[in-house]
Amino acid sequence: MADTLRRLAKTSSFSVLQDKLESWHEDYHVISCDQNLNRCCDLIELTAAIQGQLFSILNLTAAEGGHYAGVDTLKMRLLPWLGTCFSMARSSVTENTSLQLIQDSAEKDRRIRELSSSHDNEIQKIETQLCSTRLQLDSVRAELEDAQKELDETKSKSATTLLATEDEILELKSDLRSAHEQLEIYKRKLDALDDYERQVHLLRDEVSYLNTEKAMLQERLVRSRSPSPLPRLSRSTSPIRSESPTRAQLTSSSRHARLVSRFSDLYAVERLEAQSVLRRYIDDLEMVQKIIFIAVVESFKTAKLAYRQFKLRVRKTLSSSHFGPESLEDAAVDYIVRNLDLYDVQASVNDVINAMNVNPRISFPPEVDFALISALIRETCRMVFAMQTLDPPLDLAFASDGELYNDSKYRRSYDSEFTAPLVMYHVWPTLVEGHTILVKGEAVTRRGAPWSRRRSRSRSVSPVRARSLSPSRSLRFNSKRSLSPQRLTASRL
């Protein structure tokens, strides 16, 4: 017995039981129900093992005492304790209670089986729904793929249609452009037709005049053959045939109106185009307007001189073969009117540009040339050349900076001072016929000292004029702008 008790004390079973009990208490709310039951069973088994060892020690101790030793202790303590334990067990669990517990357990098992079957049914239903949903999803995916294919096809068709539409638009634009070109051609043809009609009308008038003259000449011829003294009287008078008008005289009024209108068009169209071209290189608007004004004035001078030289050549050519009632002067003018295209406009343009290159009143950037406004100069020279065939010819009114402003000759520009009495500079010249003003010019009036400005500018050397001329330009200037007496006389006109 002593050995058994010593082994029990050495194994420290109660301390192990206490440690397990404390660890279970700490992990009770963390571990699962099965784990709690397993730990409880472990404690019960350990307690039973300890109780078995204690009962074996109790048995050995009672055996060592003999038949009667320890009887009182067993009677007074062990037996009452065992009876109390069994009585408590009986009072807490009766037969009815155990039966009820069995029924409850069976009911719970039945409910668990029902719940399990219902759960299985629900799972099956959910799986069925999941399968149907997957099928629907597959069908939706297939529809989405079909829609994507249709969208791609539609995009490709739209792109093709757009390209075709762009091609059609380009074709329509080209057709419209060609239609505009044809319209312009038809307009030109219509204008030419109008000119032809006017010329036909003039020719008919001329034919009527010639028929009248022919009849008169025939009558004179008949009278000259008769013995009447009337022929001598008719010879002494001026011939009637000399009163017949030439082509230049017949078309003078229409050419006059057309040239005056052309002068106004130059101001409204070509002048603005030249001004926009010059403004790309010159920021000073005043200098740009002065350049255009001087270009027009020089074009008038050059074209008038070219007309006189051309007229002299025509008179020299016609003098050897001229005969008829009209004078040689009228025949030369009529020839020039019929052959205006023989005028060498480019030579006059070059003369104007050379004259502007040596003009001290204007400046120009050295990297460009006055040839930028050659279109304006060319059209002005053609117009002026045609103006010289009129009787009387059209010309420009005299203009100078600092002159007294004349409301009948000019109109003020938009940036003028309307109370200033003097002209600062001119924008456009005035067209006159003799002493009659046909088209007003344009001038800028400002308060200041234009005479002092002119004097200072004439004394100072322009930076553009100071640049060295190229060899070609200097040779052209020396050859074409030599100061001959004829040139000086023409410059004053």
Side-chain angles (χ1 to χ4, degrees):
M1 182 275 298
D3 296 332
T4 304
L5 182 59
R6 186 173 53 256
R7 285 196 301 271
L8 183 61
K10 286 183 179 181
T11 55
S12 300
S13 299
F14 287 98
S15 62
V16 173
L17 181 62
Q18 184 66 29
D19 293 337
K20 288 187 176 182
L21 186 62
E22 290 178 356
S23 64
W24 182 28
H25 177 68
E26 291 176 357
D27 300 334
Y28 182 78
H29 296 287
V30 179
I31 61 179
S32 63
C33 180
D34 293 335
Q35 291 177 350
N36 286 326
L37 293 176
N38 288 325
R39 289 197 178 186
C40 184
C41 292
D42 291 339
L43 291 175
I44 291 171
E45 290 177 357
L46 182 60
T47 304
I50 293 171
Q51 286 180 355
Q53 291 179 2
L54 291 174
F55 274 108
S56 62
I57 292 172
L58 179 64
N59 189 14
L60 291 175
T61 302
E64 288 178 356
H67 290 283
Y68 300 102
V71 175
D72 295 333
T73 302
L74 293 175
K75 289 180 180 180
M76 294 296 294
R77 295 190 64 182
L78 180 61
L79 293 178
W81 176 76
L82 291 175
T84 303
C85 291
F86 286 109
S87 64
M88 290 176 62
R90 286 193 189 101
S91 62
S92 60
V93 180
T94 60
E95 293 179 359
N96 294 329
T97 303
S98 61
L99 182 60
Q100 185 66 31
L101 290 174
I102 292 170
Q103 291 178 355
D104 292 339
S105 177
E107 184 68 20
K108 288 180 180 181
D109 292 337
R110 185 179 61 80
R111 288 180 180 178
I112 289 170
R113 286 194 299 271
E114 291 179 356
L115 290 174
S116 178
S117 61
S118 63
H119 182 66
D120 294 336
N121 292 331
E122 289 179 357
I123 290 175
Q124 188 174 2
K125 290 180 181 179
I126 290 172
E127 288 180 353
T128 305
Q129 292 178 357
L130 182 61
C131 292
S132 63
T133 304
R134 286 178 179 174
L135 294 175
Q136 292 178 359
L137 181 61
D138 294 335
S139 63
V140 170
R141 285 179 179 175
E143 292 177 357
L144 182 60
E145 290 177 356
D146 296 336
Q148 186 67 32
K149 292 180 180 179
E150 292 179 358
L151 180 61
D152 295 337
E153 292 177 357
T154 305
K155 285 183 179 179
S156 61
K157 291 180 180 179
S158 300
T160 307
T161 306
L162 181 60
L163 292 175
T165 307
E166 289 180 354
D167 295 337
E168 291 178 357
I169 291 173
L170 293 176
E171 290 179 359
L172 291 175
K173 285 183 178 179
S174 62
D175 294 339
L176 181 61
R177 193 180 300 109
S178 62
H180 282 301
E181 292 176 356
Q182 291 180 359
L183 180 61
E184 292 295 331
I185 293 171
Y186 291 150
K187 285 183 179 179
R188 293 171 186 169
K189 290 182 178 180
L190 184 60
D191 295 337
L193 182 62
D194 294 337
D195 293 337
Y196 292 153
E197 289 180 354
R198 286 194 294 268
Q199 292 178 5
V200 168
H201 181 69
L202 294 174
L203 289 175
R204 285 178 180 175
D205 294 338
E206 188 175 356
V207 168
S208 63
Y209 279 113
L210 292 175
N211 290 330
T212 305
E213 187 177 358
K214 179 181 178 181
M216 295 176 67
L217 290 174
Q218 288 177 356
E219 184 180 357
R220 288 178 59 190
L221 183 61
V222 171
R223 289 179 182 178
S224 64
R225 291 179 181 178
S226 64
S228 175
L230 290 176
R232 291 184 180 180
L233 295 176
S234 63
R235 289 175 187 174
S236 62
T237 58
S238 60
I240 300 175
R241 186 176 180 181
S242 61
E243 297 179 358
S244 63
T246 62
R247 178 183 177 85
Q249 294 173 352
L250 289 173
T251 61
S252 178
S253 59
S254 61
R255 289 187 293 111
H256 182 278
R258 186 171 68 252
L259 291 172
V260 172
S261 176
R262 181 56 182 150
F263 184 80
S264 301
D265 293 340
L266 281 177
Y267 171 78
V269 181
E270 279 81 357
R271 180 187 68 88
L272 296 179
E273 292 178 356
Q275 181 172 319
S276 63
V277 170
L278 291 177
R279 287 302 298 272
R280 299 175 186 172
Y281 305 96
I282 302 176
D283 296 332
D284 188 7
L285 179 61
E286 176 180 349
M287 182 55 62
V288 170
Q289 292 175 344
K290 285 184 178 181
I291 290 173
I292 294 175
F293 176 79
I294 292 174
V296 174
V297 173
E298 292 292 338
S299 298
F300 263 82
K301 294 178 181 179
T302 306
K304 286 163 60 178
L305 180 59
Y307 175 78
R308 291 173 185 173
Q309 295 175 354
F310 187 78
K311 187 176 179 181
L312 289 175
R313 292 196 299 270
V314 171
R315 289 184 62 181
K316 185 177 180 181
T317 304
L318 295 179
S319 61
S320 60
S321 59
H322 173 70
F323 65 93
E326 71 274 3
S327 63
L328 181 60
E329 184 76 14
D330 294 338
V333 173
D334 188 67
Y335 178 82
I336 294 173
V337 171
R338 295 173 183 270
N339 300 277
L340 288 175
D341 54 343
L342 297 179
Y343 169 47
D344 189 5
V345 186
Q346 188 60 40
S348 297
V349 172
N350 296 333
D351 290 341
V352 172
I353 293 175
N354 291 333
M356 294 177 67
N357 283 329
V358 296
N359 195 317
R361 295 174 54 196
I362 56 178
S363 61
F364 209 58
E367 64 272 7
V368 291
D369 197 0
F370 287 111
L372 290 173
I373 57 173
S374 59
L376 173 65
I377 298 173
R378 182 178 292 104
E379 294 300 323
T380 306
C381 290
R382 287 178 179 173
M383 179 193 66
V384 175
F385 190 85
M387 284 180 177
Q388 304 311 304
T389 61
L390 299 175
D391 188 21
L394 305 183
D395 202 351
L396 297 182
F398 176 78
S400 64
D401 295 345
E403 66 175 323
L404 186 64
Y405 175 75
N406 189 354
D407 190 63
S408 62
K409 288 176 59 178
Y410 306 107
R411 58 175 175 273
R412 286 185 171 92
S413 62
Y414 70 94
D415 55 346
S416 298
E417 296 180 4
F418 289 89
T419 59
L422 299 180
V423 174
M424 182 65 67
Y425 64 93
H426 298 80
V427 178
W428 192 252
T430 304
L431 185 66
V432 295
E433 183 180 9
H435 298 286
T436 305
I437 296 175
L438 299 179
V439 180
K440 283 186 177 183
E442 184 177 348
V444 178
T445 58
R446 292 175 188 167
R447 295 187 179 276
W451 291 103
S452 62
R453 289 180 60 186
R454 289 178 61 191
R455 196 174 296 112
S456 62
R457 287 186 180 181
S458 63
R459 291 175 183 174
S460 62
V461 180
S462 173
V464 179
R465 302 284 82 78
R467 69 174 183 261
S468 60
L469 297 174
S470 62
S472 61
R473 179 175 290 185
S474 62
L475 290 175
R476 183 174 56 192
F477 170 73
N478 293 330
S479 61
K480 294 188 177 182
R481 302 294 295 178
S482 60
L483 298 177
S484 61
Q486 296 178 355
R487 182 73 68 178
L488 292 174
T489 305
S491 63
R492 293 193 183 95
L493 297 176

